[in-house]
């Protein structure tokens, strides 16, 4: 005789399945049926069925209508398998979980931040977690120095199907790829290059390598830009590094000032040199032309002198007197037999004339 704690025998299971139940089981079923009838409204079963179908129809209609924003497309899955891509607008899909529409923002530029946080971000993968924020910025350069690197990766979803189905978690994968590539690129350079002069090269190389890995992993993502933000040495040596950086900036400032003065003085000197050379060339040509003119005039005069010496001599004398006489203030013409010209000089007039001059 089995006890109440023993499992039911095969005979009991058969009886329950056949419907020939014991008395206590029948009583339990009757009580449950009475409780269920209390919740069913009074009336025939047809109205209850119509109400139930109406509720099902309204729920299906609500699930069938959806809107795709202008900067996105919808990827529709039917019974879990990719079915189609839907353009922006109002659309319908099969309800009750038959069709599932996933909105993918293909025209929006997304970004991931490393080492810092932008408040109000809606993308959970845009900002690093509290535990990873400090660790992901700590990097070792090629000369075995430490640096704290912060950067931003801006990307777009180019192929929604690959983005959703080829990689399990593409945004998290992109974050891991970005950190790996940045550590590789920074590790190939010295700390001075990373902090000062090598920023643009690091951004370009990191962008190229991230895009190569995104294509290799079929992530469906295009990397638009990699931008370095704050790059600092570790806090224990940050003050000393700032002093070195200030010294380098002062050096660059002095070099730029020297180049400015050089560019200001040297062109001026070059201009003065060219001006003086042109003046010397002009003076040289002037003297040559004057000398050639004098030679030509003397030769012409010589030819006339050879033809008529007395006439030429007389003409030269007259021309000379014509040029000299107007410049003389007083003129005294004497005879050849005069022995002294002193009586003819008006010395008093000369003294008065000199006294009147200031």
């Amino acid at each position: 005789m089995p006890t109440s704690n023993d499992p039911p025998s095969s005979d009991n299971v058969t009886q329950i399945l056949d419907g020939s139940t014991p008395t206590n089981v029948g009583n339990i079923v009757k009580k449950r049926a009475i409780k269920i009838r209390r919740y069913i409204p009074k009336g025939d079963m047809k109205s209850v069925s119509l109400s139930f179908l109406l509720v099902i129809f309204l729920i299906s209609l609500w699930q069938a209508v959806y809107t795709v924003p202008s900067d996105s497309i919808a990827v529709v899955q039917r019974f879990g398998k990719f079915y189609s891509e839907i353009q922006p607008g109002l659309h319908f899909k099969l309800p009750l979980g038959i069709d599932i529409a996933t909105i993918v923002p293909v025209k929006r530029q997304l970004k991931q931040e490393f080492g810092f946080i932008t408040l109000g971000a809606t993308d959970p993968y845009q900002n690093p977690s509290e535990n990873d924020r400090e660790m992901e910025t700590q990097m070792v350069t090629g000369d075995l120095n430490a640096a704290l690197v912060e950067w931003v990766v801006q990307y777009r979803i180019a192929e929604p199907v690959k983005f959703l189905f080829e990689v399990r978690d593409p945004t998290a994968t992109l974050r891991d790829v970005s950190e790996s590539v940045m550590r590789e690129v920074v590790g190939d350079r010295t700390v001075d290059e990373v902090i000062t002069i090598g920023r643009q090269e690091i951004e370009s190389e990191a962008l190229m390598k991230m895009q190569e890995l995104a294509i290799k992993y079929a992530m469906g993502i295009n990397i638009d830009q990699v931008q370095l933000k704050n790059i600092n040495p570790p806090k224990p040596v940050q003050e000393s590094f700032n002093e070195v950086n200030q010294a380098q900036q002062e050096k660059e400032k002095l070099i730029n000032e020297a180049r400015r003065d050089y560019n200001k003085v040297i062109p001026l000197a070059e201009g003065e040199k060219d001006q003086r050379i042109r003046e010397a060339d002009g003076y040289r040509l002037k003297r040559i032309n004057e000398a050639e003119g004098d030679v030509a005039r003397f030769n012409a005069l010589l030819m006339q002198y050879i033809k008529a010496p007395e006439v030429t001599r007389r003409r030269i004398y007259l021309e000379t007197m014509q040029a000299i006489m107007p410049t003389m203030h007083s003129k005294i013409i004497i005879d050849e037999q005069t022995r002294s010209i002193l009586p003819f000089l008006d010395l008093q007039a000369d003294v008065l004339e000199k006294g009147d001059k200031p």
Side-chain angles (χ1 to χ4, degrees), residues 262-278:
Y262 174 86
N263 294 330
K264 180 179 179 181
V265 173
I266 297 302
L268 182 61
E270 293 288 342
E272 293 180 355
K273 179 193 74 172
D274 295 337
Q275 181 180 359
R276 293 189 178 184
I277 290 175
R278 287 193 297 270

Side-chain angles (χ1 to χ4, degrees), residues 81-337:
K81 184 180 180 180
F82 169 71
Y83 179 69
S84 64
E85 293 183 2
I86 305 299
Q87 299 301 318
L90 183 65
H91 301 279
F92 297 90
K93 61 183 177 66
L94 297 180
L96 303 178
I98 298 175
D99 285 352
I100 300 176
T102 304
I103 306 298
V104 182
V106 294
K107 297 181 181 179
R108 189 188 312 166
Q109 189 177 64
L110 308 174
K111 68 177 181 178
Q112 291 185 351
E113 299 171 346
F114 297 82
F116 64 99
I117 290 179
T118 299
L119 298 179
T122 57
D123 187 357
Y125 291 97
Q126 177 174 333
N127 297 328
S129 62
E130 293 292 337
N131 297 330
D132 297 338
R133 189 189 314 172
E134 185 176 357
M135 293 182 59
E136 66 187 8
T137 61
Q138 298 176 356
M139 299 186 183
V140 179
T141 60
D143 54 356
L144 301 181
N145 286 308
L148 303 178
V149 183
E150 298 176 359
W151 74 98
V152 175
V153 176
Q154 297 180 352
Y155 66 96
R156 297 178 187 271
I157 301 175
E159 301 178 62
V161 177
K162 289 184 178 180
F163 182 79
L164 292 177
F165 305 121
E166 293 293 337
V167 182
R168 184 181 299 274
D169 196 345
T171 50
T173 303
L174 176 61
R175 193 167 192 88
D176 295 337
V177 166
S178 300
E179 183 177 351
S180 175
V181 169
M182 188 58 67
R183 291 186 182 278
E184 177 185 354
V185 175
V186 171
D188 292 338
R189 288 166 173 79
T190 64
V191 66
D192 292 333
E193 294 176 341
V194 173
I195 297 178
T196 55
I197 61 176
R199 296 172 65 99
Q200 187 174 1
E201 294 181 0
I202 293 174
E203 293 174 350
S204 302
E205 185 175 352
L207 173 62
M208 181 183 63
K209 291 187 176 182
M210 288 180 191
Q211 186 62 53
E212 290 177 356
L213 291 177
I215 296 174
K216 179 180 179 181
Y217 296 155
M219 297 167 62
I221 291 175
N222 280 342
I223 310 297
D224 291 340
Q225 186 180 15
V226 177
Q227 185 178 6
L228 293 176
K229 294 297 186 180
N230 297 326
I231 303 178
N232 297 310
K235 293 181 179 180
V237 298
Q238 190 167 0
E239 183 176 355
S240 300
F241 183 83
N242 291 336
E243 293 178 357
V244 174
N245 194 21
Q246 290 178 358
Q248 291 179 347
Q249 292 178 356
E250 185 67 21
K251 171 187 172 184
E252 294 294 331
K253 177 183 177 182
L254 295 176
I255 292 175
N256 292 332
E257 290 179 353
R259 288 177 178 173
R260 181 193 63 191
D261 295 338
Y262 174 86
N263 294 330
K264 180 179 179 181
V265 173
I266 297 302
L268 182 61
E270 293 288 342
E272 293 180 355
K273 179 193 74 172
D274 295 337
Q275 181 180 359
R276 293 189 178 184
I277 290 175
R278 287 193 297 270
E279 290 177 354
D281 290 337
Y283 181 75
R284 177 178 62 85
L285 293 175
K286 177 184 176 183
R287 296 297 296 170
I288 291 174
N289 292 332
E290 289 178 352
E292 290 178 351
D294 292 342
V295 170
R297 188 173 66 86
F298 179 80
N299 290 333
L301 187 62
L302 178 62
M303 294 297 297
Q304 295 298 326
Y305 181 80
I306 293 174
K307 292 179 181 179
E310 292 296 334
V311 175
T312 305
R313 186 182 301 112
R314 182 77 175 175
R315 183 171 63 83
I316 293 174
Y317 173 77
L318 293 176
E319 290 177 355
T320 304
M321 291 296 104
Q322 186 179 2
I324 294 175
M325 294 301 288
T327 61
M328 299 175 61
H329 296 287
S330 60
K331 307 175 184 61
I332 300 174
I333 301 174
I334 61 174
D335 190 6
E336 294 180 355
Q337 298 179 359

